[in-house]
């Protein structure tokens, strides 16, 4: 059974953010009879959806609602769904069904909520359905069944809002939606076209997070590089100075906050080159998460993705010349309709040449509504799996070779966990939950989660490092 949210860590896409047992309690007090109205919350999906959940929880917190850690104690349950791929849809539908069976009063929101008819057909008893990034609609649905009570004597929400990540890192969402028309993706249909947040609003949230103890800001959106395209890079004002709504200006401003700044979902536009000097100067982490998706020009054209592999390799070489410490992460799809063995070999050759540090791979999933489903020559499932295994074996060899070069180096790492046996941390090359870890087999009571420490690498495997404390 899915537990409901208390305080939870970030997970991979399409996994439940299962609660760890109510590590914080949000209470809405009715001082006439001391009744506490409790809202259950299930959050599914990617970091962008996690930010949506945080915003809704912050709104609930501001109005004094209690977040229940169990179905039977909740008066109502909100399910924030994912609908990106078929497995995510199935998981979201299962979560809705479970919430209805265990509680009976359910509000549905999120990406799958954009397909409201699908939900209503299977679950006509749900109280309300809304799409992604819809906190107003969710709050209105909650109010319809449990109206808020105003208490001017209580200030129940901290300046940084409610966060579902550990205290020392947080996701910073800078925009909503996407203008691209990738044939395998339905995100624009679910979340709409690109809408950039005002830069002064983003910077204020970032400053609030840093003041609350956050040591790492993970910048996320559907297309981080396109930030500001929709408003023609409008200038806002921050600390009395004009700042353009542009990813370079944003990165430069975030770099002044004195914490790690990590960029995710960076589409390889030409102006991405402007970020590399900031990384070389230490303003932001030398890390780029760029979803290349494939390397074959034929397949990239079918995907409606940039199809200039030679140019991509040249840019990677240039980026590493500017910033030798650069970590490159990417994701790829194998088994796309029409992918031949020759196309797949091009992808393997690209891995050899690009020498990417961190890589994820998915088999093509025919998402309902995606235009790629109409393409000819679908790849059999068994062949998709076989190619993914060959792909990951190739990348594991590359990853291990690159990590072996780190042995003997001294690194600054951010501590994630401390146990009686070891310290678990991450280097600047490691984003939480998707990349590797640094293990330090030592017990030092003074070291806490969220602390930056210096270590020396003594061993490496395919994905993780082992290190010792420097000056321990």
């Amino acid at each position: 059974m899915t537990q409901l949210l208390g305080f939870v860590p970030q997970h991979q896409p399409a996994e439940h953010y299962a609660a760890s047992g109510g590590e914080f309690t949000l209470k809405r007090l009715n001082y006439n009879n001391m009744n506490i109205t409790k809202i259950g919350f299930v959050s599914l999906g990617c970091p962008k959806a996690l930010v949506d959940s945080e915003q809704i929880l912050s709104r609930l917190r501001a109005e004094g609602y209690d977040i229940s850690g169990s179905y039977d104690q909740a008066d109502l349950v909100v399910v924030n769904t994912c609908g990106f791929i078929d497995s995510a849809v199935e998981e979201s539908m299962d979560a809705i069904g479970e919430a209805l069976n265990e509680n009976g009063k359910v509000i549905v929101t999120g990406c799958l909520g954009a397909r409201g008819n699908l939900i209503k057909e299977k679950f006509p008893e749900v109280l309300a359905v809304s799409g992604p990034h819809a906190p107003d609609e969710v709050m209105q649905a909650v109010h319809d069944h449990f109206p808020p009570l105003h208490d001017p004597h209580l200030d129940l929400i901290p300046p940084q809002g409610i966060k579902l990540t550990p205290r020392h890192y947080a996701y910073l969402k800078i925009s909503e939606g996407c203008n691209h028309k990738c044939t395998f993706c339905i995100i624009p249909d679910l979340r709409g076209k690109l809408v950039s947040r005002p830069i002064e609003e983003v910077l204020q949230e970032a400053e609030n997070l840093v003041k609350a103890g956050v040591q790492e800001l993970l910048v996320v959106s559907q297309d981080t590089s396109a930030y500001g395209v929709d408003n023609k890079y409008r200038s806002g004002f921050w600390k009395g100075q004009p700042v353009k709504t542009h990813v370079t200006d944003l990165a430069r401003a975030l770099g002044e906050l004195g914490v790690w700044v990590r960029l995710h979902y960076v589409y390889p536009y030409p102006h991405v080159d402007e970020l590399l000097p900031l990384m070389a100067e230490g303003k932001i982490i030398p890390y780029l998460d760029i979803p290349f998706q494939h390397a074959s020009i034929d397949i990239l054209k079918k995907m409606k993705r940039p199809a200039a592999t030679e140019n991509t390799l040249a840019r990677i070489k240039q980026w590493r010349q500017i910033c030798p410490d650069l970590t490159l992460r990417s994701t790829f799809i194998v088994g796309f309709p029409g992918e031949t063995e020759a196309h797949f070999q091009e992808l393997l050759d690209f891995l050899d040449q690009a020498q990417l540090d961190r890589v994820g791979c998915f088999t093509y999933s025919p998402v309902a509504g995606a235009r790629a489903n109409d393409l000819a020559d679908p790849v059999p499932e068994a062949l998709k799996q076989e190619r993914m295994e060959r792909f990951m074996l190739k990348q594991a060899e590359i990853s291990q070779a690159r990590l072996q070069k780190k042995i003997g180096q001294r690194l600054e790492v951010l501590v994630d966990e401390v146990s009686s046996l070891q310290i678990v941390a991450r280097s600047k090359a490691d984003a939480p939950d998707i990349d590797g870890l640094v293990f330090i087999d030592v017990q030092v009571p003074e070291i806490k989660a969220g602390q930056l420490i210096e270590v020396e690498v003594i061993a490496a495997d395919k994905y993780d490092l082992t290190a010792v404390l420097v000056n321990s």
Side-chain angles (χ1 to χ4, degrees):
M1 179 184 295
T2 303
Q3 284 186 291
L4 305 190
L5 286 179
F7 173 79
V8 295
Q10 168 70 1
H11 289 269
Q12 296 286 355
E15 291 183 2
H16 283 281
Y17 297 106
S20 57
E23 294 182 20
F24 64 78
T25 302
L26 311 184
K27 295 183 178 180
R28 173 181 176 275
L29 300 180
N30 179 340
Y31 284 95
N32 293 324
N33 56 20
M34 294 304 293
N35 288 333
I36 302 174
T37 302
K38 298 180 179 180
I39 308 297
F41 206 106
V42 177
S43 185
L44 307 171
C46 65
K48 280 89 68 179
L50 181 71
V51 174
D52 290 348
S53 295
E54 292 172 339
Q55 291 174 351
I56 295 168
L57 284 167
S58 294
R59 294 275 293 272
L60 290 168
R61 178 70 170 89
E63 295 184 7
Y65 290 94
D66 180 13
I67 303 304
S68 174
S70 65
Y71 288 117
D72 57 353
Q73 295 182 13
D75 297 296
L76 178 150
V77 177
V78 178
V79 181
N80 189 9
T81 59
C82 179
F84 183 51
I85 58 177
D86 288 349
S87 60
V89 172
E90 182 180 353
E91 183 180 26
S92 293
M93 296 295 268
D94 288 345
I96 296 168
E98 181 179 291
L100 284 169
N101 289 335
E102 298 295 331
N103 181 275
K105 295 181 180 179
V106 177
I107 293 171
V108 177
T109 188
C111 284
L112 187 59
R115 298 160 64 183
N117 290 339
L118 176 67
I119 295 170
K120 283 290 189 179
E121 285 177 7
K122 186 168 183 179
F123 304 112
E125 64 270 40
V126 296
L127 302 178
V129 180
S130 58
H133 194 57
D136 291 343
E137 288 89 338
V138 174
M139 293 305 298
Q140 184 57 57
V142 172
H143 294 165
D144 288 344
H145 297 276
F146 295 96
L149 294 179
H150 176 61
D151 188 339
H153 302 292
L154 294 179
D155 181 9
L156 296 176
I157 183 168
Q160 74 274 15
I162 301 300
K163 293 296 170 185
L164 301 178
T165 50
R167 185 173 181 266
H168 59 279
Y169 69 82
Y171 292 97
L172 183 67
K173 186 160 69 170
I174 63 173
S175 65
E176 190 62 62
C178 181
N179 289 341
H180 293 292
K181 297 181 179 179
C182 303
T183 57
F184 57 82
C185 183
I186 59 172
I187 290 295
D189 298 325
L190 298 177
R191 289 184 171 261
K193 290 192 174 183
L194 178 77
V195 178
S196 299
R197 292 179 63 194
I199 192 164
E200 60 272 20
E201 179 182 302
V202 174
L203 291 173
Q204 183 62 65
E205 179 182 350
E207 184 179 72
N208 290 343
L209 289 167
V210 172
K211 287 180 178 178
V214 166
Q215 293 293 322
E216 179 181 14
L217 295 169
L218 299 109
V219 178
V220 296
S221 66
Q222 300 299 333
D223 183 359
T224 296
S225 315
Y227 180 59
V229 167
D230 55 308
N231 60 29
K232 299 180 180 180
Y233 305 115
R234 175 191 71 82
S235 288
F237 282 87
W238 176 247
K239 305 293 186 183
Q241 298 294 323
V243 186
K244 285 175 61 178
T245 307
H246 189 282
V247 66
T248 305
D249 296 74
L250 174 65
R252 186 178 295 110
L254 291 174
E256 298 299 321
L257 295 177
V259 298
W260 286 10
V261 177
R262 190 184 301 276
L263 302 180
H264 286 279
Y265 311 107
V266 177
Y267 206 89
Y269 299 126
H271 66 254
V272 169
D273 296 353
E274 300 170 6
L275 296 169
L276 274 297
L278 296 178
M279 296 179 181
E281 295 166 12
K283 297 292 186 181
I284 61 175
I285 284 181
Y287 180 102
L288 280 177
D289 173 14
I290 301 180
F292 292 122
Q293 305 297 9
H294 213 280
S296 165
I297 291 177
D298 291 342
I299 298 300
L300 288 169
K301 286 180 178 179
K302 290 183 178 182
M303 290 179 169
K304 301 295 183 184
R305 301 284 293 183
T309 302
E310 291 182 4
N311 183 47
T312 298
L313 290 169
R315 290 181 74 192
I316 289 173
K317 182 179 179 180
Q318 179 188 24
W319 292 341
R320 285 176 168 153
Q321 289 174 343
I322 297 171
C323 183
D325 293 332
L326 177 66
T327 295
L328 285 172
R329 150 165 275 282
S330 190
T331 51
F332 295 87
I333 298 172
V334 297
F336 193 80
E339 183 190 64
T340 64
E341 181 61 27
H343 294 142
F344 179 67
Q345 187 59 51
E346 288 183 62
L347 179 54
L348 296 182
D349 293 342
F350 176 83
L351 290 182
D352 278 328
Q353 296 174 73
Q355 291 289 296
L356 302 176
D357 300 275
R358 304 295 193 187
V359 168
C361 181
F362 305 90
T363 58
Y364 173 72
S365 176
V367 181
R371 290 173 294 160
N373 297 341
D374 298 327
L375 295 175
D377 302 319
V379 178
E381 284 298 325
L383 185 54
K384 290 181 189 178
Q385 292 296 325
E386 188 250 346
R387 286 178 180 171
M388 183 174 71
E389 291 171 7
R390 289 165 58 194
F391 178 99
M392 292 308 297
L393 182 62
K394 165 70 71 175
Q395 179 56 36
E397 295 171 354
I398 294 170
S399 175
Q400 185 163 21
R402 294 188 68 80
L403 288 180
Q404 288 290 324
K405 295 178 182 179
K406 294 181 182 288
I407 295 175
Q409 292 185 18
R410 291 190 173 188
L411 304 174
E412 181 184 53
V413 299
L414 181 61
V415 177
D416 277 340
E417 300 176 22
V418 179
S419 72
S420 60
L421 299 176
Q422 66 179 358
I423 297 169
V424 181
R426 289 179 292 107
S427 73
K428 293 177 180 178
D430 305 307
D433 296 304
I434 57 174
D435 293 328
L437 297 169
V438 181
F439 296 98
I440 307 107
D441 294 328
V442 67
Q443 182 180 7
V444 182
E446 295 80 14
I447 294 178
K448 308 295 182 184
Q451 189 173 339
L452 291 168
I453 59 175
E454 186 179 9
V455 301
E456 182 175 327
V457 179
I458 60 170
D461 59 23
K462 295 177 182 177
Y463 305 110
D464 302 317
L465 300 174
T466 301
V468 294
L469 283 174
V470 174
N471 300 323
S472 60

